[in-house]
Amino acid sequence: ICFLFHHQIYGQEGSLCAQHCLNNLLQGEYFSPVELSSIAQQLDEEERMRMAEGGVSSEEYRTFLQVKS
């Protein structure tokens, strides 16, 4: 017998499409909105650090900081 996990969505709020997609793909409740938010914040910080490697006074870095993540 083969079981297929399907995450039911009732009144989806806050654009949780990625959470539902990942959990359905992985066939279980692996990610919560809080966990995905934490991952996103970590990625944002890593991106800021990588962009700063080119120089914090560069035009590219200043433009990068003005764009909302």
Side-chain angles (χ1 to χ4, degrees), residues 53-67:
E53 289 175 358
V56 294
S57 60
S58 71
E59 181 68 29
E60 184 179 27
Y61 183 72
R62 284 184 276 143
T63 301
F64 167 76
L65 290 179
Q66 293 175 355
V67 176

Side-chain angles (χ1 to χ4, degrees), residues 1-66:
I1 297 175
C2 179
F3 294 99
L4 182 64
F5 176 84
H6 177 73
H7 186 114
Q8 286 287 13
I9 303 168
Y10 298 103
Q12 180 171 329
E13 294 180 24
S15 299
L16 300 174
C17 300
Q19 177 200 1
H20 298 296
C21 179
L22 287 169
N23 286 337
N24 283 331
L25 180 67
L26 297 173
Q27 294 293 287
E29 294 284 338
Y30 290 95
F31 294 101
S32 72
V34 173
E35 291 168 322
L36 291 177
S37 176
S38 176
I39 292 169
Q41 289 174 354
Q42 291 171 12
L43 290 172
D44 283 345
E45 182 59 31
E46 181 71 25
E47 184 180 27
R48 274 194 284 298
M49 290 178 1
R50 297 281 181 214
M51 289 296 294
E53 289 175 358
V56 294
S57 60
S58 71
E59 181 68 29
E60 184 179 27
Y61 183 72
R62 284 184 276 143
T63 301
F64 167 76
L65 290 179
Q66 293 175 355

